[in-house]
């Protein structure tokens, strides 16, 4: 059921998904994480030693969560 909900909303823009997340649809956070995961993985492999890459990925996910929660579309460019 949750998977269907996420799959049906994958084509939305990041701003639309963030708006829905902030309205209480926290399942969509998975879509945001999946969109940015390749970038996170690239930079953690490039700049972090192997033994701390997992921690860096978790920190990046927390940073994304914080950014989503504090996002204000009226201030975005």
């Amino acid at each position: 059921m949750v998977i269907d909900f996420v799959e049906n909303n994958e084509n939305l823009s990041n701003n639309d998904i963030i708006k829905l997340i902030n309205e209480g649809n926290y399942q969509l956070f998975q879509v945001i994480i999946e969109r940015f995961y390749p970038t996170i993985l690239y930079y953690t492999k490039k700049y972090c030693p192997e033994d701390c890459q997992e921690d860096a990925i978790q920190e990046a996910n927390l940073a994304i969560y914080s950014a989503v929660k504090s996002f204000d579309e009226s201030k975005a460019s």
Side-chain angles (χ1 to χ4, degrees):
M1 182 185 213
V2 172
I3 303 265
D4 292 335
F5 178 77
V6 170
E7 288 175 353
N8 291 335
N9 292 294
E10 282 183 334
N11 296 328
L12 294 174
S13 70
N14 288 342
N15 288 351
D16 292 337
I17 291 175
I18 290 169
K19 184 177 178 182
L20 289 171
I21 291 170
N22 286 329
E23 290 174 356
N25 295 318
Y26 299 110
Q27 303 93 338
L28 289 174
F29 188 68
Q30 177 183 347
V31 175
I32 292 291
I33 292 297
E34 287 174 1
R35 286 185 183 182
F36 289 98
Y37 187 74
T39 304
I40 292 169
L41 200 57
Y42 170 78
Y43 283 106
T44 55
K45 284 184 176 184
K46 184 174 181 178
Y47 293 109
C48 298
E50 261 186 64
D51 60 340
C52 75
Q53 287 178 1
E54 199 170 314
D55 291 336
I57 290 169
Q58 290 299 321
E59 289 289 330
N61 288 337
L62 288 172
I64 290 173
Y65 178 78
S66 177
V68 165
K69 295 306 288 176
S70 64
F71 181 74
D72 184 3
E73 190 173 5
S74 65
K75 295 180 183 178
S77 57

